[in-house]
Amino acid sequence: MAQKGCLILLFVAILLLDQIVGQSSKARKHSKRRVKEKNGDLKTQIDKLWQEVNSLKEMQALQTVCLRGTKVHKKCYLASDGAKHFHEANEDCIAKGGTLAIPRSGDETNALRDYTKKSLPNVGDFWLGVTDMVNEGKFVDVNGMVLNYFNWDRSQPNGGKRENCVSFSHSAQGKWVDEVCRTVKRYVCEFLIP
């Protein structure tokens, strides 16, 4: 009988020990899960902070551009310091975070004309971000988006397959002319304001 009592006592002790170890293991797993969740939350918060910092940097750069150039509607324009052919001018604007200027209304055309008369004195024309390189006769912006506004000079576009890039003509009061893309011209970059 004493042996049976010892066996029962030993059995109960083993069950209690098993339960304690199981709960301890569950608590450690739960604790690890909480630490992982906290680490995940911290990582998400850090990622959000970095996005915010980068966004603030972009806004600060845009404000600098707007101070050096001019703000019109929800855009900033910045005239180039030098002249380049169309593709180089477009790449330069992209590297600065914008595109070649694309007037999308009469108001934007007038504002761009007024700005460039001051910022590009004695410059007869400059590159716009408009081309028909992909599909002859179908002019789109440099991002490939269809345009709803055109401001062609009389008898323009007239260059056929040879003239695929568009310039803004001061002598024609801001009218557009198609030109050979390899021509070296001044240009204006456009930056959208969020």
Side-chain angles (χ1 to χ4, degrees):
M1 182 86 115
Q3 282 185 333
K4 270 188 176 180
C6 281
L7 281 175
I8 292 175
L9 186 60
L10 183 62
F11 182 69
V12 169
I14 290 173
L15 285 175
L16 284 173
L17 185 61
D18 183 54
Q19 189 146 11
I20 291 171
V21 169
Q23 284 179 354
S24 174
S25 175
K26 285 180 186 176
R28 266 187 267 130
K29 286 180 185 176
H30 186 68
S31 176
K32 284 181 183 178
R33 192 177 325 122
R34 270 192 270 147
V35 167
K36 283 183 182 177
E37 287 172 3
K38 283 184 181 179
N39 285 343
D41 290 345
L42 286 174
K43 185 174 178 358
T44 301
Q45 289 174 354
I46 289 170
D47 288 343
K48 285 180 182 178
L49 285 172
W50 273 115
Q51 288 174 348
E52 202 171 313
V53 165
N54 288 332
S55 178
L56 289 170
K57 283 181 182 178
E58 287 175 15
M59 288 177 63
Q60 183 180 17
L62 186 58
Q63 287 175 352
T64 302
V65 166
C66 289
L67 288 173
R68 288 180 39 218
T70 190
K71 182 179 173 185
V72 177
H73 306 290
K74 290 198 167 203
K75 297 179 178 183
C76 288
Y77 293 122
L78 181 62
S80 65
D81 292 328
K84 297 182 179 193
H85 66 69
F86 179 86
H87 302 290
E88 288 175 333
N90 188 41
E91 288 299 317
D92 186 51
C93 290
I94 290 169
K96 292 175 180 171
T99 64
L100 283 170
I102 308 159
R104 297 186 186 270
S105 68
D107 288 343
E108 286 184 13
T109 295
N110 293 337
L112 189 56
R113 184 184 64 230
D114 293 344
Y115 167 64
T116 54
K117 277 184 180 178
K118 295 174 192 166
S119 61
L120 298 174
N122 305 319
V123 172
D125 56 0
F126 58 89
W127 288 124
L128 291 177
V130 179
T131 179
D132 74 340
M133 279 185 268
V134 174
N135 194 353
E136 179 58 37
K138 300 219 187 243
F139 286 86
V140 295
D141 72 17
V142 288
N143 299 315
M145 301 298 293
V146 175
L147 296 170
N148 295 317
Y149 171 80
F150 295 95
N151 194 32
W152 294 113
D153 198 3
R154 280 173 281 143
S155 71
Q156 292 289 332
N158 65 357
K161 292 182 179 181
R162 210 170 82 68
E163 297 178 350
N164 295 314
C165 297
V166 177
S167 69
F168 184 107
S169 172
H170 271 292
S171 60
Q173 298 302 307
K175 297 290 184 185
W176 298 2
V177 177
D178 62 337
E179 303 246 4
V180 174
C181 300
R182 301 290 300 157
T183 307
V184 174
K185 295 185 177 300
R186 297 289 294 272
Y187 55 98
V188 174
C189 296
E190 168 183 297
F191 305 85
L192 298 179
I193 300 171

